[in-house]
Amino acid sequence: TTALGTLLRCFPCERLCGGCTVPPAPPRPPGALPPAMRPPRRRLPPRTFRSYLPRSHRTYSCVHCRAHLAQHEELISKSFQGSHGRAYLFNSVVNVGCGPVEQRLLLTGLHSVADIFCQSCKTTLGWKYEQAFESSQKYKEGKFIIEMSHMVKENGWD
């Protein structure tokens, strides 16, 4: 029976074989599962965004999850102030969702705005100007503010 047990199960390699030259495995800590019984590693699904911007263009992405947000060509101004610091004004953005519209008294007057958030990680990025009540501010309507602290430059920046 000793030879039969050796043929059926090789203790050093924990497989069925007729004997091997594999050095014995180090002892497992108490309560640890044998290698064959360990749960498989959990693989995260690949990140998918609603829109991908071309790799050849300079882009701005979410600093938290790297979702594409805007192309450099859509940048209107770098001299805006967000709720928590400097911000950029963009003509259009991608991969963002809008919250409810509300009226806010900003540095440049009363505006109807909707907070925007990253569609992937749900971080609030800035806001969208829905309506400006002063004639000098009408150019902002339909434009987007993204705070610099929530975005990173990618692709082709020197």
Side-chain angles (χ1 to χ4, degrees):
T1 59
T2 308
L4 183 60
T6 305
L7 284 174
L8 295 178
R9 184 164 178 94
C10 177
F11 288 104
C13 68
E14 297 186 3
R15 282 184 260 151
L16 296 178
C17 67
C20 67
T21 58
V22 175
R28 289 189 298 269
L33 295 173
M37 297 180 70
R38 286 189 189 132
R41 283 190 173 188
R42 203 177 102 198
R43 285 203 168 141
L44 295 175
R47 287 234 163 118
T48 54
F49 309 123
R50 288 185 175 192
S51 298
Y52 290 87
L53 299 174
R55 287 186 175 264
S56 60
H57 291 83
R58 295 183 293 175
T59 60
Y60 297 92
S61 299
C62 176
V63 74
H64 308 285
C65 70
R66 294 295 200 259
H68 293 172
L69 297 176
Q71 288 185 353
H72 182 66
E73 290 78 19
E74 296 298 319
L75 178 65
I76 297 170
S77 175
K78 295 181 178 182
S79 60
F80 275 72
Q81 187 69 28
S83 301
H84 303 100
R86 291 186 55 208
Y88 289 179
L89 180 69
F90 289 95
N91 216 10
S92 66
V93 295
V94 296
N95 298 316
V96 298
C98 284
V101 177
E102 57 186 44
Q103 291 187 358
R104 287 190 198 152
L105 185 59
L106 302 174
L107 294 174
T108 55
L110 185 64
H111 298 274
S112 286
V113 298
D115 285 337
I116 59 171
F117 57 90
C118 176
Q119 200 70 45
S120 179
C121 68
K122 309 301 184 211
T123 301
T124 301
L125 302 169
W127 61 83
K128 177 183 180 183
Y129 287 102
E130 296 290 343
Q131 183 180 9
F133 295 101
E134 295 182 22
S135 59
S136 64
Q137 302 299 310
K138 291 285 188 185
Y139 75 96
K140 296 179 186 175
E141 290 180 353
K143 309 294 191 282
F144 300 84
I145 288 286
I146 299 180
E147 295 182 2
M148 288 183 61
S149 61
H150 297 298
M151 64 182 170
V152 63
K153 296 176 179 180
E154 292 188 324
N155 299 336
W157 296 90
D158 293 326

